[in-house]
């Protein structure tokens, strides 16, 4: 039997945080591994690596996605924003600032994913009630239990009518 030969690596181009990143990766490399291991942007965290914790959440075309479940090759032509890309220099995104103001993190490991999920939520016309906010954020697990303050952030962003990105 003849086995199909798969390329070890291929060059891809990602639109990441307003820049173009060219990297050579295997076709099966996840977006999470491309970000952390190849591009060395380690703000995005690896928790479960199985789509269950939300630590790896980034924004793709404005939508919050689990980067551990997305292949990097499939993200070409889309706009990817990680937690590093939300601030403009020293100016934090309002959601990042609100996380600081409300002390919405303890160890901070889940925080980049929580911030990106919050921005993704603000990009949608959803999250109008506390129950809806809890439901929309339920894919993001915080082992320190900072949920109460994270919800305060989202409620404040909603009250102030802050837009995502
Ligand atoms: S690392 Fe992706 S969902 Fe947990
Ligand atoms: S702040 Fe520690 S896991 Fe959320």
């Amino acid at each position: 039997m003849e086995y199909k030969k798969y390329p070890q690596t291929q060059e891809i181009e990602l639109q990441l945080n307003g820049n173009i990143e060219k990297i050579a990766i295997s076709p099966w490399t996840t977006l999470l591994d491309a970000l952390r291991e190849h591009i060395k942007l380690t703000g995005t965290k690896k928790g479960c690596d199985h789509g269950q914790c939300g630590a790896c959440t980034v924004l793709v075309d404005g939508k919050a996605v689990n980067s551990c479940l997305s292949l990097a090759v499939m993200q070409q032509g889309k706009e990817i924003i990680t937690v590093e890309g939300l601030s403009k220099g020293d100016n934090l995104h309002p959601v990042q600032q609100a996380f600081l103001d409300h002390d919405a993190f303890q160890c901070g490991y889940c925080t980049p994913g929580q911030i990106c999920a919050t921005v993704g939520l603000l990009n949608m016309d959803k999250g109008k009630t506390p129950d809806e906010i809890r439901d929309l954020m339920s894919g993001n697990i915080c082992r320190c239990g900072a949920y109460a303050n994270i919800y305060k952030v989202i409620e404040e962003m909603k009250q102030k009518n802050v837009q995502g990105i």
Side-chain angles (χ1 to χ4, degrees):
M1 181 191 286
E2 192 183 335
Y3 290 96
K4 190 170 174 181
K5 288 198 171 56
Y6 290 98
Q8 285 302 301
T9 60
Q10 69 184 74
E11 186 147 304
I12 67 162
E13 213 172 84
L14 297 176
Q15 291 176 40
L16 176 62
N17 295 336
N19 300 312
I20 300 286
E21 293 283 348
K22 289 185 183 171
I23 48 171
I25 56 166
S26 305
W28 50 86
T29 304
T30 64
L31 177 58
L32 175 60
D33 286 341
L35 291 170
R36 289 183 56 88
E37 309 299 333
H38 294 264
I39 302 171
K40 306 295 180 196
L41 269 188
T42 53
T44 306
K45 298 294 185 271
K46 184 180 280 194
C48 63
D49 209 16
H50 282 89
Q52 292 174 346
C53 73
C56 64
T57 305
V58 299
L59 295 151
V60 177
D61 285 345
K63 194 173 165 207
V65 303
N66 289 339
S67 60
C68 71
L69 294 185
S70 315
L71 294 179
V73 286
M74 295 169 69
Q75 309 310 325
Q76 296 181 93
K78 300 179 186 173
E79 189 187 3
I80 304 159
I81 297 183
T82 66
V83 71
E84 293 95 340
L86 287 173
S87 57
K88 301 275 173 279
D90 287 342
N91 291 330
L92 297 180
H93 186 284
V95 170
Q96 293 172 310
Q97 185 61 51
F99 265 72
L100 282 173
D101 295 343
H102 288 285
D103 198 12
F105 50 85
Q106 292 174 32
C107 78
Y109 197 81
C110 73
T111 310
Q114 302 275 9
I115 288 173
C116 287
T118 301
V119 174
L121 187 157
L122 297 177
N123 285 339
M124 300 186 286
D125 189 26
K126 290 186 177 172
K128 294 187 176 135
T129 64
D131 280 353
E132 209 180 7
I133 290 172
R134 280 173 171 71
D135 187 38
L136 289 165
M137 294 296 288
S138 63
N140 290 68
I141 293 172
C142 174
R143 289 175 176 81
C144 297
Y147 294 110
N149 292 346
I150 294 169
Y151 298 139
K152 275 188 213 156
V153 167
I154 301 170
E155 280 167 352
E156 182 188 292
M157 296 295 99
K158 284 282 177 191
Q159 274 164 15
K160 292 184 174 170
N161 206 19
V162 172
Q163 303 302 304
I165 48 169

